[in-house]
Amino acid sequence: MQIVDREGTAEEAKKLGLKDGEFDLIVGHLGRKPSFTELAMFSGMWSEHCSYKNSILLLKKLYSESDRLLAKPGEENAGSLKINDKQAVVFKVESHNHPSAVEPYQGAATGVGGIMRDVFTMGARPIATLNSLRFGHPSKDARTKYLLRRVVKGIGDYGNSLGIANTGGEIFFHESYTRNPLVNAMTVGVADIDKMATAKIPGPGKWVVYVGAKTGRDGIHGASFASKNLSKESEEERSAVQVGDPFLEKLVMEATIECIQKKLVLAIQDMGAAGLVSSSSEMAASGNVGVRLELEKVPARETGMVPFEFMLSESQERMLMVIEPGNWEKVKAVFDKWELDAAVIGETTEGKNLQIFMDGKCYADLTAEILTKKAPRYEREQKPVAMQQGAADLDQLQKLLEKSDVVGVTKLFAKLLAHPNLCSRQPIYRQYDTDIGLKRVIGPGQNGCVVRVPDSDSALAVTIDGNGYYIAIDPYKGAQHTVAEAVRNVAATGAEPLGLTNCLNFANPYIPENYWFFAQAVTGMSDACREFKVPIVSGNVSFYNESEDGPVLPTPTLGVVGLIEKAAHAVPAAPADLSSKLNLYLCGKFAPSQQASQYHYAEGKPLGGPLPELDLKAEITGAKKMASLAKAGVLASAIDLSAGGLMRAACRIAFACFESSGKMPSLTLDTAVLGKGLADTLLLGETAHSYLVAVSDTNAAALEKEQSAEFPVVKLGTLKPEGGKLALGKTELQLQELYSAWAGGLREFFR
């Protein structure tokens, strides 16, 4: 096929983001120099964001075995697992870090839109969205406050308009994220197994159909933009940030799901990163067929667009479908009903070539697998980093309690509870619609959210978690801690963990120390998942998370989905009915440490380890015990111990009771039963494998029967309906004062 486009050059390849030697590699694959349009297509598909060229060799080692698994990771747009014989859960998490750093509102909004499309493209109706956010400290940097407010508004406006409940999330503040915030979005959907869609094209002779919004010049080179470090010049790259329209996405979602349910779709993929070139080449390569596209038929909202712009545009709310020619009128009727564009822009062909035409002239002609499967694969040099030792343990709480200094203890606890990393997240999640769809059982602000499975008695517990602090100290063990913490969050609700999705946020992989952190974290994560027998079913890698100030903390974000057979068995973080006294028990192996704790961070101590003890067998036992106790109706409430330690967990139970009833309960904690040690460590240190649960007198014996070496059960105190006090031995605090500090920690940043 004669190509009319001019040849691309090695110099242009560098400007487009390709690395040294990759232009020559392209020439070697093609047996000629690429046309400029082809070169632009390579710049998108061989970018880090699309090709995973510096991570795929390690990612292939991730644990992904399960009898519930419906497709191997990476084969489809999102991961999917069987809920039961008829239904599947579909879920994935992705990053939109660089766009959010440059244009926070649209960057965050389109991040939500993109992950939604990954889910409903498979025929699943989204039922919950979550987010994981990382920023610098907003009180120390005016731009950070601006980024925080605009990102949260972008997430809220898009999700609320789309009509999908935002049911949970997490946020963490650290100075390393000041210029490079992390914005990770997760979506969970449910599909009928027999009506799910695939991205694999079944063969030649099918029509390629463009549906959704018109194509413009927004987002061009977005994938390449996400594959390099942020700098002062990044502000000038706003054109690489997409612009979203949630109301249009709602229409696209409904039309797409309708076509899939009517079995009018043979294959489908959303146009995300790298736009049309990504969707067409990946679908062609997965089906081992050719695709011919005629770009003049693509609905456009701008005039004068040239082939590479059509191919690389990342305009939002667009899908690429493959259908039988005989079904075109039916597909067109669906999209006409929803008042959306739909156009036949090509066909699948014999052979394996992706051919790009415009006005009858050929601009690109190459095999799809060169763009996809033959992208370069690198395993970079690693240079281990010695673990930094932390500061000496603090004893200030111990001294205050010995003196029964109520004022001093109150001030210390209030300071910690007001810290942005430990305070209430209400100022954020109250900007989101958390109830739309009437599927929520347990909402945000607790362990994990719980949502009902449509047309079923079951429920799904979902959470999203990360701890860059731990990873920066010990990436292998820190990754295992992160898996364990995410599993504990869903286990605390009474759920059996089903699967995991990850978003791996790391710095420049070409720096050996950075790559070592990445490799160690991936290995630690995989090893932990293997022990838990929880498969990693989908994910995303985001490299180059650094600015001129340096790299962010290495931050793998993990989303876990768990199954509760009966929604009525779901366990909240605070009792639904606190009309009488309940008993508080500490369950699980309790081994707190001040090192690497938020207590130390809030007190200005240097980052250092070692990390708290981690016993994966104890974690697995604890997760199983919590599920069985929930099923038996033993637990009135449960919360896992994490950042802020036992003190924060106990306060969160009391505060949740207050917010639901308007009455502040009373807490009594007998710390003497915890054994010897500084009060600072016992109450404010962090530990794995531990839960704080509330049970009635009648259920106390059933809980105590579950005690074992790997699951100790210790009566710690009581929870009473009224009184508003926290009793720690001889020291009695007013919970209302602590609540005011906790509730107000983030408010000033949203005024």
Side-chain angles (χ1 to χ4, degrees), residues 575 577-585 634 636-637 657 665-668 693-700 715-722:
D577 177 21
L578 187 58
S579 55
S580 59
K581 181 201 76 168
L582 293 173
N583 304 290
L584 291 175
Y585 282 82
V634 172
S637 73
C657 290
S666 287
L667 284 167
T668 301
V693 307
V695 298
S696 65
D697 288 340
T698 55
N699 284 325
K715 187 175 179 180
L716 186 59
T718 58
L719 177 66
K720 297 180 180 179
E722 298 180 346

Side-chain angles (χ1 to χ4, degrees), residues 357-372:
F357 285 80
M358 188 166 178
D359 299 323
K361 298 175 181 178
C362 182
Y363 287 82
D365 186 4
L366 69 170
T367 63
E369 67 178 11
I370 294 177
L371 291 168
T372 56

Side-chain angles (χ1 to χ4, degrees), residues 68 70 82-88 191-194:
R68 295 178 181 267
L70 292 172
K82 292 179 183 177
I83 299 172
N84 49 50
D85 290 339
K86 295 182 179 180
Q87 294 172 299
D192 293 334
I193 295 173
D194 64 348

